[in-house]
Amino acid sequence: MRKAVLVTGASSGVGLALCKRLLEEDHELHLCLACRNRSKAEAVRTALLASHPLAEVSIVQVDVSDVRSVLRAAGELKQRNVIHMFSTAEGLLTQEDKVTADGLQEVFETNVFGHFILIQELAPLLCHSDRPSQLIWTSSRNARKSNFSLEDIQHRRGLEPYSSSKYALDLLSVALNRNFNSQGLYSSVVCPGTMVTNMTCRILPPFMWTLLMPIIGLLRFFANAFTMTPYNGTEALVWLFHQKPESLNPLTKYLSATTGFGSNYVTNQKMDLDEDTAEKFYQNLLELEKHVRATIQQRNHQS
């Protein structure tokens, strides 16, 4: 059987770079592009197949900030029965937040809850004790314990929704390992480093990035987190792709790093969390899932 990989946010940034690198590693990979914009996904699929004709590249349309979209996509994927590994894209690189159609905070739903629902739906495909499956979450060095609260998991009252959501991913990964390792499902988290992508370019005008690039280039000699490009940022993701998931430390975050001379490598750090908090957060997500599903069923019944 072909190894199958599903990549969310695959039409640009880290997601797209990861697709390209994975196909370089395995020319016969079955790659599933999970994207919000189907036309962009189709263009990416065409380009990937042009350079890797032996690969199998499929598309599933999904907006992870909309639970109904996630459920539809999960149903489609169950019918295809192709899932083996997950890798998130980079998420929102902004501190701005708003409420989604599901009544949830957008950063939280996009980075955490939408993907959680997807995993819940696809658990029958992922859980096989004789054939391990691997989840890889794109977290961040900016995942701060101080920005997360179990009493406000969506970060409605805070000013750092991005940092909170990434710390929540760290917790979720630990909880998933605790609850699903015995069923053959393993979870890891990575940080792609600091990169210039379409999203980060929105933070500052283009001329500012032009001025900053030489400075950032110098900083790479002192701080290995400046990976600069999505290609470099996928280093840890590609490294994990080659590992046996059951051999990895569930409390470790794997970091993409780049030297001042442009060489990529992987480093790691112990995550600043405890398993009891991770389990409590996981139970909170399960309760929120029940509430959201009930609301959706009510809406469907009314319509």
Side-chain angles (χ1 to χ4, degrees):
M1 292 180 62
R2 292 178 185 240
K3 180 175 286 188
V5 180
L6 184 146
V7 180
T8 60
S11 62
S12 64
V14 170
L16 177 55
L18 177 61
C19 291
K20 293 177 179 178
R21 291 196 64 178
L22 289 178
L23 288 176
E24 291 173 2
E25 299 288 329
D26 185 345
H27 298 295
E28 297 185 358
L29 190 68
H30 182 165
L31 194 60
C32 184
L33 314 178
C35 302
R36 182 165 43 192
N37 188 310
R38 178 169 283 277
S39 61
K40 289 184 178 180
E42 291 286 358
V44 169
R45 179 179 182 274
T46 299
L48 292 175
L49 287 175
S51 57
H52 299 87
L54 296 180
E56 182 177 350
V57 183
S58 59
I59 295 171
V60 62
Q61 187 172 11
V62 59
D63 181 352
V64 290
S65 68
D66 184 337
V67 169
R68 284 172 292 185
S69 175
V70 172
L71 293 175
R72 284 194 297 270
E76 184 178 341
L77 289 169
K78 286 177 183 178
Q79 292 178 353
R80 298 182 193 178
N81 196 19
V82 299
I83 308 307
H84 176 70
M85 170 187 150
F86 282 84
S87 176
T88 63
E90 59 197 292
L92 299 178
L93 295 180
T94 173
Q95 295 300 299
E96 297 179 2
D97 207 358
K98 60 184 179 182
V99 177
T100 69
D102 295 312
L104 305 177
Q105 295 301 117
E106 185 178 48
V107 174
F108 167 79
E109 184 166 9
T110 301
N111 287 357
V112 184
F113 191 68
H115 289 86
F116 171 73
I117 293 293
L118 190 59
I119 293 165
Q120 292 288 92
E121 287 291 299
L122 298 178
L125 303 181
L126 295 169
C127 295
H128 297 283
S129 56
D130 60 331
R131 180 164 45 91
S133 295
Q134 186 178 30
L135 300 171
I136 303 178
W137 301 89
T138 303
S139 182
S140 172
R141 290 171 172 83
N142 192 38
R144 307 289 185 190
K145 185 176 183 179
S146 59
N147 289 327
F148 177 83
S149 170
L150 277 175
E151 287 69 43
D152 183 21
I153 62 173
Q154 297 187 50
H155 206 73
R156 294 182 185 276
R157 298 185 294 273
L159 299 175
E160 297 287 342
Y162 177 79
S163 175
S164 175
S165 71
K166 293 303 182 181
Y167 189 79
L169 287 183
D170 294 353
L171 292 171
L172 178 55
S173 180
V174 170
L176 290 172
N177 280 313
R178 185 173 183 178
N179 286 275
F180 289 98
N181 278 180
S182 62
Q183 301 177 52
L185 178 60
Y186 296 85
S187 181
S188 299
V189 290
V190 304
C191 173
T194 303
M195 304 161 295
V196 180
T197 66
N198 291 338
M199 289 184 176
T200 56
C201 283
R202 296 172 193 163
I203 300 173
L204 295 173
F207 79 91
M208 287 296 296
W209 284 111
T210 301
L211 295 175
L212 287 173
M213 289 303 286
I215 299 173
I216 295 175
L218 290 174
L219 288 175
R220 291 169 71 180
F221 285 93
F222 306 97
N224 59 15
F226 289 96
T227 50
M228 303 295 287
T229 69
Y231 181 92
N232 294 341
T234 62
E235 189 69 23
L237 289 153
V238 173
W239 182 83
L240 282 171
F241 177 72
H242 290 291
Q243 308 308 307
K244 292 183 177 180
E246 60 269 32
S247 69
L248 299 169
N249 187 334
L251 298 177
T252 294
K253 181 179 295 184
Y254 299 91
L255 316 172
S256 294
T258 305
T259 69
F261 296 103
S263 298
N264 297 325
Y265 63 102
V266 178
T267 184
N268 62 74
Q269 68 180 31
K270 188 177 185 300
M271 292 189 284
D272 182 21
L273 51 77
D274 64 84
E275 294 189 51
D276 288 341
T277 301
E279 183 62 28
K280 290 177 182 177
F281 174 63
Y282 178 68
Q283 295 302 321
N284 285 346
L285 286 181
L286 292 175
E287 289 300 316
L288 182 59
E289 178 190 6
K290 291 179 184 177
H291 171 74
V292 172
R293 287 182 184 273
T295 301
I296 291 174
Q297 289 178 353
Q298 185 178 8
R299 289 177 185 169
N300 292 339
H301 180 72
Q302 291 174 346
S303 60

